[in-house]
Every structure is written in C-alpha cells, then in structure tokens.
Amino acid sequence: MLTGTTPSENLVVQALQGETMGTTWSVRAVLPVELSLQSWRDGIQAALDLVDRQMSTYKPQSALSCFNAAPAGTWHAMPAECFEVIAHALQMARDSSGAYDPTVGPLVNLWGFGPDASRHEPPSDEAIAVARERIGWWKLKLDAATRSLYQPGGIYLDLSSVAKGYGVDLVGRYLDSIGIGAWLVEVGGELKGHGKKPDGSPWRIGVERPGAAVGAVENMDQLSRVVTLSGCAIATSGDYRRQFESAGRSYSHHIDPRTGQPVPHFVASVSVIAHDAMQADPLGTLMTVLGPVHGLAYARERGLAVLFLLHGKNGTEERLSPAFAEALRS
C-alpha cells in the first residue's frame, strides 16, 4: 500500500504488459521513481486470470462452461464476479429488447467465431434455425440472494463481449486498493483511465483510422478522434478484428441474435465512452448490431457517448452522438 504524498517531480509513468483471454493487456501507472510497477504484476495478472477462469468459453472447467454444459432444470451458484457480469449482460439484453443477447453463443460458434473450429463459408439456413432455438435471454432466471443461475436447457452463455471490459475494471479496482492513484489499464483494446500523469495532463486515447483500434496517442495523422480518460472507460468494437470472406462477401463476428446473421460490414467500428469498461464493452457490440441509425437513436435517448466509423463511398465516415461530441469538447 502506498502512503503519504509524493512531490510530482518524483513521479514517473511506469508500464507493464502481458497476456490474457487470448489477447494482451497493458498497464501504465504513476509511481514514485524509487518504486517499480513490476512489484504488482502478480496482482494484476491474478485479477485477469480470475476473469478468464470464471468466464471463458474456451476453458471446459470455467464456471461459465460448467453452466453451459449443465442439464435442463438445474440451478447453479455462480462466483460473485461471474454473477455480476451475467446480471449486467441480461439487463442490457432486456433494455435493448434482445438486440444484445449473451445467449447468442450457439450462433457465434456456428459461424466459426467461438471455441469451435473456424469456417470459411456461411452455415445453412437450417443450421441457423436450429441454433436460434437455443437463443433467448428471457429463458434465464437469476436469484440474487444466492447468486444462482437457472439453466432451462440448451442455453449457452457467451460473455466475450463484456469479460475483457470487466477485466479492465477489476484491474483498476486492484490498483486503487494498493494506493496507486493514477493509472491507465488496457485489455484487448478496452481501456479505462484514472487520475492524471505527473505533468498534470490526462490520459489521452486515440481512435485510429482506418483500422479504428484504440490506443495511446502516437501518430496524430492516423487518428479519427482523441479523447481523454479521467475516471471513465472507452471500448471499441470493429469488423476488422475477426471475420472471414466467402464468395466475395465479408462476414463479421458480430452476430445479430434476432436474425442469426452477421451484421452488415459497412460499420467499421463503434467506440463507446462510459464510466466503467464493463458498461462500454457490451455497448459497442449492441451499437454494432443496431447500426448507425437505430444505434444513435438509442444512444441519444440514454445520453450515451458513441462514435461510429463507417465504410463510406469516399472512405471512412463518422457519426457521433451528442454525448460523444460533449466528451470531445471536455
């Protein structure tokens, strides 16, 4: 635990990085020059390993995989962290009338974007229809008192759209708990920043074009927008990350649970700013499914900060919500 006050001239930004959940993580933290962030690597990794251990669909023994494989009509006590994420995902599904649905796993797997083998051509309409029979967030029941989840039979939860964001938040909580007052945490492109750098400036994050990845500002010519993160998070969902082509058509890993089909690929990416990464991460998926017209309407109604980058006839086009525009001004 860090104690006392250190003059700003004795503070420096230190960095760590590693691997988790099939991707990478990085942490930048403001520390006295005589201390090393390396001392807290194990704690950072432990927080991320906990998320992976509980919520991975690639690990047969994870709490989530055990639930997915459970027989119909059974209740299952879930770890506190996993229950928190599931409850949040189901609330978003309810709020979006199923445009976001964490039970979309069978369709994700069918299209080759899950732990099953990848594919190079779309599945048949019949296979899609069979998978859709297993979809439906409303089929699940939660018991908050016991942190239990009811398996009605055949439900396969996929938390890949929220787990990385939750991991960012969990690492942030850990850094707060050991007294680190300024940090920037990134997991697989999802970020959250807290506090300020030694010179008093905020953490500045660039949304890049044309790939639309998010990261620390380096080449200003490649950036669509630059945002500051002070007690908030940003997450980006993009069609460039996972896709396949068949017969001249690209198929994105973002599956619309209402149709069973990948969303149209003219949405290059969506970036969402929110208080927590667990909020921003799945909102990016929801916005991608809704598309720029319905997505921005949803964002305006709820005061959400959303930036769409679209594949336009003349290159990348932007669409942003009023809240995102306000975030840029501030």
Side-chain angles (χ1 to χ4, degrees), residues 64-78:
L64 192 66
S65 291
C66 289
F67 171 80
N68 288 340
T74 55
W75 283 90
H76 301 270
M78 307 297 288

Side-chain angles (χ1 to χ4, degrees), residues 83-102:
F83 187 86
E84 179 183 0
V85 172
I86 292 171
H88 179 75
L90 291 179
Q91 181 58 50
M92 185 170 293
R94 183 178 299 107
D95 188 55
S96 66
S97 299
Y100 174 84
D101 191 337

Side-chain angles (χ1 to χ4, degrees), residues 195-224:
K196 295 182 178 181
K197 291 183 281 188
D199 62 3
S201 64
W203 303 104
R204 301 174 72 228
I205 301 302
V207 180
E208 297 177 358
R209 62 170 80 221
V214 290
V217 175
E218 293 179 357
N219 188 342
M220 296 295 292
D221 294 335
Q222 297 178 1
L223 302 182
S224 172

